Amino acid sequence: MRTRPRRLRQSPAMRRLVRQTRLHPSELVLPMFVREGGDPRPIDSMPGVAQHSMDSFRGALVEAAGAGVGGVMLFGVPAQRDAVGSGATDPAGILNAATEVAVAEVGDALVVQTDLCLDEFTNHGHCGVLDDRGRVDNDATLARYAEMALAQARAGSALLGLSGMMDGQVAHVRDALDGEGFTDVALLGYAAKYASAYYGPFRDAVDSQLTGDRRTYQLDAGNRREGLREAELDIAEGADVVMVKPASSYLDVLADVAAVSEVPVWAYQVSGEYAMVEAAAAQGWLDRDAVIAESVLAIRRAGAEAVLTYWAMELAQRLRNEEL
Ligand code: PBG
């Protein structure tokens, strides 16, 4: 036997030398929740993650920048909601106000990004506005997204995360931004966002009002080719980055998109992926730190150049003292 793959696994030094993929703080993005009014609130189904008050948010931002994470993705939890999600376009609305704070505090150290979707702001919990039969109205929603994009750009967001899964959203928002001179604001197309049960804890995190599901706009879990199609459409519409979401259960889609994309490909390790590991680790059933590192490494290995993960800050801190 001349071929012995084990040769390259014989010592830590050799394994380190031949490792293809490794983690770096700059490619980790921390999703953060900011709630309107009152004190920070823990999120039961996401131990270790909180809805921040504006005060605790400032502190966490400074910590994230200090740890060297590449960016933060902001979500707002408003006190009031209505049918069209007015809080999303109000310059004083919680997400826009939080964006201004983040840009002022850490805008030079990391990329401040905002979720561009109406679901946190609507009283029915859908990602768009509804028509008179209660269906999500694609084109009416695009008009709201354009207004929301302008509000976020005015607040200083550097990259808008288009997570609503409306057809044509990237092109529509790009045109709206360019029309007002915001040609440098980047767009992250949540190209392949699947209708997933792994978003369960997130719905607690934003006090979601949703009844029913998002299957008329998010992708069906059985479809692989459609993920690629959505990514190609987003790139053609001008997306600067495309996303696959969730991550761990969709590594095939991620690898497909990474194989053809001309723009950076990111993935979102979502709330349910986080909650599963935390729950099992709390029982003593998994080696928490090892599983966290392995799960994010797998997402990188499958083709994501950056990963949105609730462990971003913790991982960035660990990476100061160890290689992962
Ligand atoms: C929609 C949005 C969702 C997530 C991010 N953006 C929820 C949904 O589509 O229901 C989920 C993120 C997570 O589960 O961590 N604005």
Side-chain angles (χ1 to χ4, degrees):
M1 206 174 3
R2 289 181 300 269
T3 307
R4 292 184 180 271
R6 286 186 56 195
R7 265 179 218 126
L8 297 184
R9 299 175 201 145
Q10 290 314 302
S11 67
M14 183 66 88
R15 290 194 296 273
R16 176 167 170 258
L17 181 63
V18 300
R19 182 169 238 195
Q20 265 186 286
T21 312
R22 44 174 51 88
L23 303 183
H24 193 274
S26 62
E27 64 210 11
L28 301 172
V29 176
L30 179 67
M32 301 178 84
F33 304 102
V34 189
R35 77 183 270 262
E36 193 167 356
D39 295 326
R41 235 186 234 175
I43 301 162
D44 288 345
S45 50
M46 299 178 74
V49 180
Q51 292 178 355
H52 283 291
S53 66
M54 206 56 100
D55 259 2
S56 70
F57 177 55
R58 278 179 218 272
L61 284 167
V62 171
E63 228 183 322
V69 304
V72 291
M73 173 61 78
L74 308 184
F75 295 90
V77 185
Q80 312 280 331
R81 299 160 199 243
D82 62 23
V84 297
S86 301
T89 46
D90 178 352
I94 183 63
L95 179 53
N96 298 322
T99 302
E100 282 181 22
V101 167
V103 171
E105 292 281 347
V106 296
D108 294 332
L110 49 74
V111 180
V112 175
Q113 316 171 32
T114 43
D115 184 58
L116 201 163
C117 189
L118 286 172
D119 65 315
E120 285 94 44
F121 297 94
T122 52
N123 54 13
H124 44 72
H126 275 293
C127 294
V129 294
L130 307 182
D131 67 15
D132 46 20
R133 291 167 59 190
R135 298 169 308 184
V136 175
D137 184 332
N138 193 88
D139 298 9
T141 299
L142 294 183
R144 294 290 296 138
Y145 285 1
E147 293 173 57
M148 192 174 181
L150 291 174
Q152 294 185 351
R154 288 184 188 117
S157 179
L159 184 147
L160 314 185
L162 288 151
S163 68
M165 292 306 288
M166 294 301 122
D167 291 338
Q169 61 184 10
V170 173
H172 199 83
V173 164
R174 182 75 271 157
D175 287 349
L177 290 170
D178 291 353
E180 296 285 321
F182 292 110
T183 52
D184 288 339
V185 173
L187 296 182
L188 162 66
Y190 277 50
K193 180 174 179 183
Y194 284 83
S196 173
Y198 288 101
Y199 305 147
F202 176 93
R203 308 245 165 110
D204 295 341
V206 298
D207 305 337
S208 174
Q209 307 296 301
L210 184 70
T211 51
D213 59 54
R214 306 196 196 287
R215 291 178 191 280
T216 69
Y217 41 105
Q218 298 179 347
L219 306 193
D220 185 274
N223 294 351
R224 178 168 179 172
R225 204 161 36 221
E226 201 179 352
L228 192 55
R229 182 183 191 215
E230 285 279 8
E232 285 171 341
L233 278 170
D234 278 8
I235 294 167
E237 287 180 30
D240 299 287
V241 182
V242 289
M243 178 100 96
V244 173
K245 178 182 177 185
S248 297
S249 297
Y250 296 85
L251 295 182
D252 54 338
V253 178
L254 179 56
D256 285 353
V257 173
V260 302
S261 178
E262 302 134 29
V263 301
V265 178
W266 296 0
Y268 197 142
Q269 185 176 49
V270 303
S271 57
E273 297 175 68
Y274 175 91
M276 286 193 304
V277 174
E278 292 290 350
Q283 296 284 333
W285 294 342
L286 283 178
D287 177 340
R288 180 178 178 278
D289 288 358
V291 169
I292 290 172
E294 184 179 334
S295 67
V296 178
L297 188 68
I299 295 164
R300 290 268 298 104
R301 188 192 65 232
E305 293 150 89
V307 183
L308 278 77
T309 172
Y310 299 98
W311 291 304
M313 188 154 83
E314 177 177 331
L315 277 169
Q317 283 166 339
R318 273 174 68 187
L319 284 164
R320 285 192 185 140
N321 306 314
E322 55 180 323
E323 288 187 18
L324 297 170

